[in-house]
Amino acid sequence: MTIASLKEKISHFESKLISISILIGSLSIISKLLGFFKVHLIARLFGTSKESDIFYAAFALPDLVFALLVVGTVNAALVPIFIKIIKKKEDKTLHTTLNTVITLLFVTMLVLLGTLYFLMPSITSWIFSSKEVLKAFDLSLDLPRGSNEYYQNLFVNLSRLMLVSPLLLSVSSVFGAYLQAHKRFISTAIAPLMYNIGIVIGIAFFVKFAPQYGVYALSYSVLIGTMLHFITQLIGVLNLHDNDFSWSFSVNSYVKDIAKLSLPRIFGLAVEQTAIMFNTFWGFTLGTGALSVFKFASTLYLVPVDLLSGTFLQLVFPRLNERAHEDDNYRSLNKLYWRTLILLVLIALPIIILFIVLRLPIVRLVLGAGRFTWTATLVTSFTLAFFTPAILLQALAALNIRTFYAINNTKTPLVISIVGVVLNILFSIGFTNFFSHSTQIKALSLGNLVNLQSIEQLLSWFTTRGDSFGAVAGLAFGISVGLFVEVAVSFWLLSRKTKLWQHAKAEQKPITSIKTMVFASIVTLLITYGMYKIADIGIDTSRALGVLTVGAFTSIPCLIVYGYLTRYVWNDYVHISKIKEKVSKIFKRK
């Protein structure tokens, strides 16, 4: 088989939505399983230690730069502009635009990351001058400087190492947008898989052959994964067609359009990153291991979020762009929006139920080994429970934002981001303080809650910090509540623009489907919780096999009950009967 024929077969395969969806879904699941193993290795080797806290905190500034310049540009501008050029069949202009975007983005990232490299010691000194951070690390400003110097140097060195990753990922992300615009999704699905493979191989290598590197091995492993991510995307672009990559500063009208569409989203991300930075460094002040617990719990809940917001919506986004310009009244766009929303809710609800009920077995199975203690397991599972609503909320927020982008509106998401971030910070502070009094809250009986003095005490806990481990769960809950408000506001504004709600009321099917799914989820939650309690009593969970058995005993009835109660919704939106017909025809041919 020649290279040309292989490219043709790949192109033909990627044009089939169902086939490519199954492949991408499978690759994503494999990637997430590797991600679980990666997190397991980190937890096993470093637990919820000061070193792991600093490792996670070292990502904050590099991630900030990457999110602002790359995520905003790729999602808001690159894919729509590339699609526009492809439709006009201006191949030469497309190549020039691609080269110019890569050049400008790479140079800008190099300047910003280089500046951060030299400023990192000063930034670190400022962070470690905080009394809350010093308290979290059992340090003091009154101690000799050398007592704090180890952790400060560790923070500086790890942060500097992490600066290399966004530089390569920025170019890789542009390649990914280019491939998405051509509806080529295989490389973009393989790239995250290679990223996790690189990290896992890196950690295994350093543990086996160079254990003296300690927590630095994690940073080196991230760099290996980043390189593999970049190479995978590059191969995907080269397989699409030969491209003459070169440095280019040719700013044509399309590059100007990219900048114009990107700026509002960059400002919006700047606001969102303010919340992320706040959550990271606020978690940094909650005590030794608190940030690690927060990151471990968020990593677990983000697995289904990535599958829904990343993989699924990645496939839908180009079609949203196409539907947005099919008619003047957005009828086609609204139809696709509601179909996508119903599918997101349909898939997310059983996942949320299982995460709530099986949160402790999930944490034990993925993280519970080595230096990851039983106390860390309890705190992480408690935090994960309050993250679970965000599984669906994150997906809905991403859908609303992408729909705004599809109608070339990047200013409204900026307003939404500002509202969401302000509420995120306020809720995070309030609920972190409140949950830090979880021991006192448990001590209050139902009768005491009607007492005026007890109510005043409850309200005062929103503004004062206690010493309970529940503070980390409060941070997760604050994020979930903030996301709920953000989704509600974004849906209202989007509906005003495209008449989404009017479309749903006219069609009736979306509203009926949502009611069915809500009823099904309540019944399924009760049955699943009952099955878990029965399994937990009768099965020994001291070993991994027992934990897996409890998970299977609980999950299978959950999926059967939920699937049965929502069977008509599945058939309406996934067309199961048609899929069965196609599968049966394939077997008949054989």
Side-chain angles (χ1 to χ4, degrees):
M1 182 183 292
T2 64
I3 294 177
S5 62
L6 179 61
K7 287 183 179 181
E8 186 178 345
K9 288 196 173 189
I10 291 173
S11 177
H12 178 68
F13 180 77
E14 289 186 308
S15 66
K16 295 183 177 180
L17 181 59
I18 294 177
S19 300
I20 193 63
S21 297
I22 293 171
L23 176 63
I24 290 176
S26 302
L27 289 172
S28 296
I29 291 170
I30 296 170
S31 179
K32 299 312 169 189
L33 290 174
L34 270 174
F36 275 139
F37 186 60
K38 173 189 70 179
V39 174
H40 172 82
L41 287 176
I42 296 172
R44 185 185 187 92
L45 294 171
F46 299 98
T48 53
S49 61
K50 297 174 184 177
E51 287 79 8
S52 60
D53 281 354
I54 289 178
F55 168 73
Y56 283 115
F59 273 98
L61 289 174
D63 280 353
L64 171 65
V65 176
F66 177 77
L68 291 182
L69 288 182
V70 179
V71 176
T73 303
V74 169
N75 288 340
L78 285 185
V79 175
I81 295 299
F82 284 155
I83 289 174
K84 185 185 292 186
I85 302 173
I86 291 167
K87 283 185 174 181
K88 292 183 179 181
K89 298 181 179 180
E90 300 176 355
D91 291 343
K92 187 176 180 181
T93 303
L94 181 63
H95 295 172
T96 302
T97 303
L98 176 64
N99 289 335
T100 302
V101 169
I102 290 174
T103 301
L104 294 177
L105 192 58
F106 185 84
V107 171
T108 305
M109 291 286 286
L110 193 62
V111 171
L112 289 176
L113 295 174
T115 303
L116 273 179
Y117 181 90
F118 291 106
L119 290 178
M120 199 56 68
S122 299
I123 294 171
T124 304
S125 296
W126 176 73
I127 292 171
F128 277 82
S129 66
S130 165
K131 292 181 180 179
E132 287 79 9
V133 172
L134 291 170
K135 181 181 177 182
F137 281 80
D138 298 323
L139 303 174
S140 170
L141 286 172
D142 299 328
L143 293 173
R145 181 171 177 79
S147 302
N148 304 339
E149 195 169 345
Y150 168 75
Y151 294 109
Q152 291 192 36
N153 288 338
L154 183 63
F155 189 91
V156 170
N157 294 336
L158 291 180
S159 297
R160 282 176 164 175
L161 280 172
M162 290 297 98
L163 293 175
V164 179
S165 182
L167 189 62
L168 290 175
L169 286 177
S170 62
V171 180
S172 184
S173 297
V174 176
F175 288 154
Y178 187 76
L179 290 167
Q180 286 180 50
H182 283 87
K183 296 181 182 178
R184 299 293 184 263
F185 302 107
I186 292 180
S187 292
T188 56
I190 294 176
L193 176 63
M194 298 306 296
Y195 177 78
N196 282 328
I197 288 174
I199 294 176
V200 169
I201 291 175
I203 293 174
F205 172 82
F206 282 105
V207 168
K208 180 71 175 177
F209 299 105
Q212 68 273 18
Y213 283 96
V215 73
Y216 285 97
L218 297 181
S219 296
Y220 295 138
S221 300
V222 169
L223 296 183
I224 294 171
T226 300
M227 182 62 70
L228 291 179
H229 188 286
F230 169 79
I231 292 171
T232 303
Q233 299 276 52
L234 176 61
I235 292 172
V237 174
L238 293 176
N239 278 337
L240 183 61
H241 57 72
D242 294 331
N243 194 316
D244 182 20
F245 293 110
S246 60
W247 297 108
S248 172
F249 292 92
S250 177
V251 180
N252 56 29
S253 60
Y254 292 114
V255 175
K256 291 178 182 178
D257 287 342
I258 289 171
K260 184 179 178 181
L261 289 172
S262 299
L263 284 176
R265 181 55 181 153
I266 288 172
F267 285 125
L269 280 170
V271 178
E272 291 176 13
Q273 286 297 313
T274 301
I276 293 173
M277 294 284 288
F278 170 81
N279 292 331
T280 298
F281 289 105
W282 188 253
F284 209 46
T285 69
L286 298 179
T288 299
L291 180 59
S292 296
V293 166
F294 177 77
K295 291 295 184 180
F296 284 138
S298 62
T299 298
L300 292 175
Y301 103 88
L302 283 173
V303 170
V305 169
D306 289 343
L307 288 171
L308 295 172
S309 303
T311 304
F312 184 71
L313 289 181
Q314 175 181 303
L315 294 170
V316 173
F317 186 43
R319 288 166 177 77
L320 284 172
N321 279 278
E322 292 171 356
R323 294 286 186 92
H325 303 97
E326 282 188 7
D327 44 52
D328 295 331
N329 59 4
Y330 295 118
R331 181 177 177 80
S332 298
L333 177 67
N334 287 341
K335 190 173 181 180
L336 179 59
Y337 174 91
W338 279 111
R339 178 180 173 81
T340 305
L341 184 143
I342 297 298
L343 286 173
L344 287 173
V345 176
L346 193 60
I347 296 169
L349 286 179
I351 296 173
I352 291 172
I353 292 169
L354 289 174
F355 265 65
I356 291 173
V357 176
L358 296 175
R359 61 188 183 277
L360 189 58
I362 288 171
V363 173
R364 287 184 64 187
L365 194 63
V366 178
L367 305 172
R371 292 181 62 185
F372 198 81
T373 64
W374 175 245
T375 301
T377 301
L378 291 175
V379 179
T380 305
S381 64
F382 188 56
T383 305
L384 180 61
F386 290 97
F387 261 133
T388 50
I391 292 173
L392 177 59
L393 294 171
Q394 288 268 25
L396 295 180
L399 172 62
N400 290 346
I401 287 174
R402 281 171 167 80
T403 307
F404 273 115
Y405 293 159
I407 60 176
N408 295 327
N409 184 338
T410 55
K411 293 180 181 178
T412 303
L414 173 59
V415 177
I416 295 168
S417 296
I418 293 172
V419 173
V421 166
V422 171
L423 291 175
N424 177 293
I425 293 174
L426 292 176
F427 286 138
S428 294
I429 293 172
F431 285 113
T432 297
N433 290 333
F434 184 79
F435 278 66
S436 69
H437 297 277
S438 58
T439 306
Q440 296 96 308
I441 294 169
K442 289 179 183 177
L444 286 175
S445 64
L446 186 61
N448 287 337
L449 288 176
V450 298
N451 185 290
L452 181 61
Q453 185 177 358
S454 296
I455 293 173
E456 290 177 351
Q457 187 178 33
L458 279 171
L459 294 175
S460 70
W461 287 339
F462 281 99
T463 57
T464 58
R465 175 76 65 85
D467 55 4
S468 170
F469 68 86
V472 189
L475 185 55
F477 188 61
I479 292 171
S480 294
V481 174
L483 267 172
F484 175 79
V485 177
E486 183 179 336
V487 168
V489 171
S490 63
F491 178 82
W492 175 64
L493 292 173
L494 187 60
S495 186
R496 288 185 62 187
K497 194 78 175 176
T498 64
K499 309 299 181 185
L500 271 174
W501 185 242
Q502 289 88 331
H503 177 87
K505 287 195 293 185
E507 293 286 330
Q508 277 300 309
K509 192 164 73 170
I511 297 174
T512 304
S513 298
I514 290 174
K515 288 180 180 178
T516 301
M517 289 186 292
V518 170
F519 171 76
S521 63
I522 294 171
V523 174
T524 305
L525 176 61
L526 295 174
I527 293 174
T528 304
Y529 183 73
M531 295 300 294
Y532 170 69
K533 282 298 182 182
I534 294 171
D536 194 40
I537 293 171
I539 300 173
D540 179 16
T541 57
S542 59
R543 296 183 180 277
L545 182 60
V547 177
L548 285 170
T549 305
V550 169
F553 188 83
T554 307
S555 301
I556 293 172
C558 168
L559 297 176
I560 291 173
V561 171
Y562 182 81
Y564 177 78
L565 294 175
T566 58
R567 61 192 183 281
Y568 296 116
V569 182
W570 282 101
N571 194 53
D572 286 343
Y573 287 92
V574 184
H575 303 303
I576 294 176
S577 57
K578 291 182 180 179
I579 294 174
K580 286 181 179 178
E581 288 178 11
K582 289 181 179 180
V583 171
S584 62
K585 286 180 181 179
I586 291 171
F587 281 104
K588 284 179 181 178
R589 287 173 187 172
K590 291 183 179 180

